């Protein structure tokens, strides 16, 4: 299985090593041609305004929008998957709010609970928040009452950064859906 | 506090969160801006962050005198006008300025040699701060000392305000060669010990004056303790083959090709100081540097975006410089 990682800006190498540790071949995606032959795409955390511009200028915006490609998005990547007051791919039926918790000094680590009650160390960096989950999407991870992760078909949106910890739970969960 | 309560609480300002912030900046361009209008230009061009300061380094160089932290009002104005992260500079060793910037809400503090150093012996002890720090380095020793003090990001010092990439390249080359030496070494203790010497320059002066010393340093730790912690960082560098924190380049980047050169060399991202707003057409230059940084391995694309740029900033030859900012700090 080939997984593409959007390699325009952000935490690219971290996601790459997560997928390599799961025994997956990884391709860095910088232009539309790089999308050929991949089975899924990871959109990493970074600055969403920067990513949006680089995606548009490279022609990747249109290509990704038109393709039915499974996507895992973390933080800025999750913003681009959902719906917010800025332009996104709207591949998932969730509303998401940018920089919800405040500035970097308000960034934090916190325990996240999964459906099976397992606990995951969530790293939230100038993180967005999922404000509502539509009918087509399902919540999969919570910080207290707050929803911090959703799936919809083969797409997954996480407001935190699983690529910054060595726990591969979420990467594996997404990869298993692609089979 | 019970274990259960501790698990529930949010943990702010820990290493993972601070270094993580720096990781999200990778592959991006951080631009110096002096007002909200420039901040908007930077954001619209796709900058991953802006560095708020009163004068760009080229003007600091031209004006001379003592350069200090920017007016908090100006920093606040930029924080309020942009949605991307805002960084600001404090003087080397000026803990009070760093605290003020943290309280203002900047997302990262640059303890910078571009400003006039406040402490000739010590840099800010950074691990007690919630806000992450970026620090300049000209060599591996400097980088390791800053990481030990708590820096979440390292950048080459280069020579700010010159539009001349040669010093940034010198520092990147030396870092790479010294990392290779660490990887080849089977005896890291002497390297760690040599790196720690710079923390005891003040103690050596006392010893020269009095014939005796107390092994004084600013960290309330013994030399043995510091050496063993520095050794741990060296072991990590040996294992990774790179610094354990994000490493940007800064100081003299003036064109999209300069940005591509440093990215090809393995830098994680770019700081552009005077290079944007001292060029003929800052808007176009800013966009071009962002594209060149993301597509550093695509010379055809970089050639195309470099066609309609206008003039880059005027450059300064290294040997003609009155002040070498890179030699500030240790």
């Amino acid at each position: 299985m080939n997984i593409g990682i959007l390699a325009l800006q952000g935490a690219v190498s971290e996601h790459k090593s997560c997928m390599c540790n799961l025994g997956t071949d990884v391709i860095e995606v910088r232009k539309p041609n790089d999308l050929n032959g991949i089975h899924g795409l990871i959109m990493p955390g970074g600055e969403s305004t920067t990513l949006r511009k680089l995606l548009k200028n490279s022609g990747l915006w249109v290509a990704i929008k038109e393709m039915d490609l499974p996507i895992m998005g973390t933080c800025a990547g999750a913003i681009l998957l959902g719906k917010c007051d800025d332009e996104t791919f709207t591949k998932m039926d969730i509303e998401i709010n940018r920089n919800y918790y405040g500035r970097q000094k308000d960034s934090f680590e916190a325990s996240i609970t999964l459906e099976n009650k397992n606990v995951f160390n969530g790293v939230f960096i100038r993180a967005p928040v999922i404000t509502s989950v539509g009918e087509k999407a399902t919540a999969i991870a919570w910080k207290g009452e707050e929803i911090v992760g959703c799936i919809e078909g083969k797409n997954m949106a996480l407001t935190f950064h699983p690529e910054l910890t060595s726990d591969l739970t979420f990467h594996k969960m997404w990869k298993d859906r692609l089979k | 506090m019970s274990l259960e309560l501790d698990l529930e609480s949010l943990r702010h300002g820990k290493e993972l969160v601070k270094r993580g912030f720096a990781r999200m900046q990778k592959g991006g361009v951080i631009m110096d801006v002096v007002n909200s209008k420039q901040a908007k230009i930077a954001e619209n061009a796709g900058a991953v962050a802006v560095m708020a300061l009163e004068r760009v380094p080229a003007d600091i160089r031209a004006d001379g005198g003592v350069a200090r932290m920017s007016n908090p009002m100006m920093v606040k104005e930029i924080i309020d006008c942009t949605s991307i992260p805002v960084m600001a500079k404090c003087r080397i060793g000026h803990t009070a300025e760093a605290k003020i910037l943290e309280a203002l809400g900047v997302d990262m503090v640059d303890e910078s040699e571009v400003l006039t150093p406040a402490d000739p012996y010590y840099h800010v002890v950074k691990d007690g701060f919630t806000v992450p720090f970026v620090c300049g380095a000209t060599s591996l020793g400097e980088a390791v000392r800053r990481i030990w003090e708590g820096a979440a990001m390292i950048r080459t010092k280069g020579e700010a305000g010159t539009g001349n990439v040669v010093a940034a390249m010198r520092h990147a080359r030396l870092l790479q060669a010294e990392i290779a030496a660490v990887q080849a070494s089977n005896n890291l203790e002497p390297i760690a010990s040599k790196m720690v010497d710079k923390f005891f320059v003040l103690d050596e002066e006392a010893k020269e004056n009095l014939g005796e010393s107390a092994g004084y340093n600013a960290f309330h730790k013994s030399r043995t303790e510091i050496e063993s912690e520095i050794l741990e960082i060296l072991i990590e560098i040996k294992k990774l083959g790179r610094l354990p924190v994000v490493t940007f380049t800064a100081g003299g980047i003036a064109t999209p090709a300069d940005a591509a050169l440093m990215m090809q060399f393995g830098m994680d991202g770019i700081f552009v100081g005077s290079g944007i707003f001292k060029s003929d057409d800052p808007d176009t230059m800013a966009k071009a540097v962002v594209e060149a940084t993301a597509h550093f391995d695509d010379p055809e694309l970089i050639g195309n975006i470099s066609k309609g740029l206008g003039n880059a900033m005027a450059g300064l030859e290294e040997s003609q410089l009155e002040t070498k900012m890179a030699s500030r700090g240790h």
Side-chain angles (χ1 to χ4, degrees), chain B:
Chain B
M1 194 188 277
S2 78
L3 185 66
E4 203 169 297
L5 268 174
D6 193 33
L7 274 174
E8 286 301 312
S9 66
L10 305 181
R11 301 177 294 281
H12 296 276
K14 298 284 184 206
E15 238 23 66
L16 197 55
V17 171
K18 292 199 270 188
R19 290 186 182 187
F21 169 78
R23 286 178 184 276
M24 297 312 138
Q25 301 273 300
K26 287 195 303 176
V29 182
I30 299 162
M31 298 180 192
D32 280 5
V33 298
V34 301
N35 54 43
S36 51
K37 192 175 154 227
Q38 291 187 353
K40 283 320 260 185
I41 291 175
E43 182 176 355
N44 288 334
V48 286
V50 291
M51 177 75 67
L53 72 176
E54 275 165 346
R55 296 172 291 171
V56 294
D59 290 332
I60 291 176
R61 230 174 236 293
D63 294 352
V66 173
R68 312 179 182 94
M69 174 184 80
S70 295
N71 186 334
M73 184 119 88
M74 175 267 169
V75 177
K76 190 75 177 61
E77 186 192 310
I78 289 178
I79 287 176
D80 290 341
C81 86
T82 175
S83 72
I84 59 175
V86 176
M87 305 183 181
K89 293 181 193 295
C90 75
R91 283 179 265 178
I92 289 174
H94 207 312
T95 307
E97 284 186 351
K99 286 277 177 200
I100 292 166
L101 293 173
E102 179 177 61
L104 270 174
V106 305
D107 297 292
M108 184 171 243
V109 173
D110 182 8
E111 188 183 19
S112 178
E113 70 285 356
V114 167
L115 306 183
T116 313
D119 188 327
Y121 299 105
Y122 288 104
H123 288 242
V124 172
V125 182
K126 292 164 272 285
D127 56 7
F129 282 76
T130 301
V131 69
F133 278 74
V134 54
C135 290
T138 60
S139 66
L140 187 62
E142 267 191 287
V144 169
R145 283 187 290 276
R146 299 296 85 78
I147 292 166
W148 179 78
E149 291 159 357
M153 185 199 264
I154 294 295
R155 55 172 176 76
T156 62
K157 285 184 180 172
E159 271 299 338
T162 62
N164 186 348
V165 77
V166 69
M169 197 57 180
R170 176 178 299 118
H171 303 154
R173 284 257 181 223
L174 189 57
L175 262 177
Q176 194 185 58
E178 292 182 333
I179 288 171
V182 163
Q183 284 192 286
S185 169
N186 289 318
N187 188 15
L188 294 173
E189 280 93 350
I191 300 178
S193 177
K194 205 165 160 53
M195 285 179 172
V196 171
D197 284 347
K198 287 276 168 54
F199 289 141
F200 290 89
V201 170
L202 179 60
D203 188 58
E204 284 298 319
E205 278 184 34
K207 201 169 169 183
E208 213 164 285
N209 288 344
L210 306 177
E212 283 190 39
S213 84
Y216 175 86
N217 65 73
F219 313 110
H220 311 291
K221 284 186 175 175
S222 72
R223 180 162 181 134
T224 322
E225 234 175 312
I226 299 172
E227 276 184 23
S228 87
E229 288 170 13
I230 294 274
L231 182 64
E232 272 175 48
I233 297 173
L234 287 175
I235 292 169
E236 201 181 353
I237 290 169
K238 181 171 174 157
K239 196 176 82 190
L240 297 171
R242 56 158 295 152
L243 294 180
V245 299
V246 165
T247 311
F248 269 46
T249 189
I253 286 85
T255 66
D258 286 350
L261 173 75
M262 299 311 293
M263 292 299 288
Q264 283 165 14
F265 196 74
M267 296 285 118
D268 291 321
I270 308 280
F271 282 89
V272 190
S274 319
I276 305 285
F277 291 100
K278 287 286 171 190
S279 72
D280 276 1
D281 181 355
D283 196 11
T284 312
M285 180 63 88
K287 286 176 182 156
V289 174
V290 168
E291 288 292 324
T293 302
H295 300 284
F296 61 89
D297 254 343
D298 189 341
E300 201 181 325
L301 182 149
I302 298 168
N304 281 333
I305 55 173
S306 301
K307 280 174 188 164
L309 279 183
N311 288 324
M313 69 178 285
L316 295 170
E317 172 56 43
E318 219 186 5
S319 58
Q320 311 290 316
L321 296 178
E322 249 175 65
T323 308
K324 290 260 178 81
M325 289 173 174
S327 60
R328 294 166 166 177
H330 55 76

Side-chain angles (χ1 to χ4, degrees), chain A residues 9-10 13-14 53 57 103, chain B residues 23-24 26 105 107 291:
Chain A
Q9 193 272 314
S13 63
E14 292 78 3
K53 282 179 210 313
N57 294 345
R103 308 199 66 81
Chain B
R23 286 178 184 276
M24 297 312 138
K26 287 195 303 176
D107 297 292
E291 288 292 324

